[in-house]
Amino acid sequence: GNIFSASDPGKYVFKAVYDGRESNAVTVEAKPVESMESRFVKNVAVFEFTGAWCTFCPSGYSNMNFVISRNDAYKETVHIMAFHSGQSGTDALAIPETDRIMSDLGVGEGFPSFITELRTSGGLSDGNAFKASLTEAFEDNPAHCAVALASEINDGKVKVTARLHSELSSSYRIAVFVVEDNVKYYQKDGSMTYDEYNHRHVVRKVVSSSYMGDRLGDVPAEEVVSKDYEFETDASWKTDNTFIYALAIDYKGYVNNMCICPVNGNVDFNRI
């Protein structure tokens, strides 16, 4: 699980030493990265951590929405995924992965909070940290791959094919989620409680083996690789408002790009 990185190009030699024994030496050559203009539209995945019991969470979402609404480019390219938790109260929209993600990734700001591209996290008492994370995502971390999706529902079963096209030879994972929009459920908001609150972009299911996705292995530059998924719908989901979100996760564990597709639909690679 350890990752080696270097700021200077050159050859680096490693060996394991334990209990008086040594492994064979392994040489790694670090080469400079050539800058290149991406040919793909970059879409940014934002995990929002929330709960129906959380009195401050509606304002947290409003703070994110305000930041997105102030930038025309963000309106089409920044995508919030609401992970509900039952950590401190009743929430039928909660999924077990929410608390695990927060623990694994060190999201220590409580509720409401966020993490952008599985990279930068913060609280949502205002929109400042969220705004800074979007600036970092677009200015410092260009997309070097794109994701395409095909999804079909038949008799309550959904078949999904996710395809990934990379400009660079690199290693990727693909993470697939079911997200339902405009879900009516109760919500505490300050001193008020609403029985029919409109919950946005609710993550209903992690389809891939984990929220960190499934390995696609080393993807050669300009080649396309794919992975198929199949799952059953839940009777409580309104399929007209249900979407497939697929995230391309790079070798560092960060989201490089993503794609959204209706549960019955097709979306091709989004090129500039």
Side-chain angles (χ1 to χ4, degrees), residues 11-238:
K11 292 185 177 181
Y12 297 82
V13 180
F14 299 87
K15 62 180 178 180
V17 179
Y18 177 74
D19 195 25
R21 292 174 291 170
E22 294 185 2
S23 70
N24 295 328
V26 176
T27 301
V28 174
E29 183 176 3
K31 298 181 179 180
V33 177
E34 297 180 5
S35 61
M36 63 181 296
E37 291 290 332
S38 175
R39 304 196 309 272
F40 300 120
V41 174
K42 181 178 175 67
N43 289 275
V44 173
V46 178
F47 287 14
E48 174 199 12
F49 301 106
T50 186
W53 45 266
C54 171
T55 59
F56 299 108
C57 286
S59 63
Y61 176 79
S62 296
N63 289 335
M64 287 194 294
N65 203 38
F66 177 77
V67 171
I68 293 171
S69 68
R70 301 285 288 182
N71 188 315
D72 288 339
Y74 291 171
K75 295 176 185 178
E76 299 296 327
T77 57
V78 177
H79 308 286
I80 297 172
M81 302 167 62
F83 285 81
H84 281 245
S85 169
Q87 189 178 112
S88 298
T90 300
D91 192 337
L93 306 181
I95 59 174
E97 287 82 3
T98 300
D99 297 336
R100 190 178 309 141
I101 295 169
M102 296 182 73
S103 175
D104 289 351
L105 301 181
V107 182
E109 292 80 7
F111 297 88
S113 57
F114 74 93
I115 187 165
T116 298
E117 296 190 322
L118 298 177
R119 183 194 311 269
T120 307
S121 64
L124 288 167
S125 57
D126 56 41
N128 294 334
F130 177 60
K131 182 179 180 180
S133 76
L134 297 184
T135 300
E136 177 187 8
F138 284 103
E139 294 185 0
D140 300 336
N141 302 294
H144 289 305
C145 73
V147 182
L149 281 170
S151 179
E152 181 181 12
I153 184 170
N154 188 13
D155 292 331
K157 292 185 177 180
V158 181
K159 292 183 177 180
V160 177
T161 298
R163 295 183 294 139
L164 183 143
H165 180 196
S166 180
E167 297 175 322
L168 305 173
S169 294
S170 190
S171 178
Y172 292 97
R173 305 175 71 96
I174 196 80
V176 178
F177 304 82
V178 177
V179 177
E180 184 182 358
D181 199 15
N182 299 315
V183 181
K184 297 296 190 293
Y185 184 60
Y186 99 96
Q187 175 68 53
K188 291 187 176 181
D189 185 0
S191 60
M192 303 291 292
T193 299
Y194 298 95
D195 293 330
E196 291 288 313
Y197 187 85
N198 192 40
H199 293 270
R200 303 299 310 276
H201 320 297
V202 178
V203 179
R204 290 297 213 166
K205 182 179 181 63
V206 180
V207 178
S208 45
S209 60
S210 80
Y211 70 89
M212 288 299 295
D214 300 305
R215 293 183 185 275
L216 296 178
D218 295 328
V219 180
E222 304 306 338
E223 289 197 10
V224 176
V225 296
S226 65
K227 188 167 182 63
D228 296 327
Y229 293 92
E230 186 172 343
F231 64 92
E232 293 186 358
T233 61
D234 189 285
S236 66
W237 304 346
K238 294 183 178 179

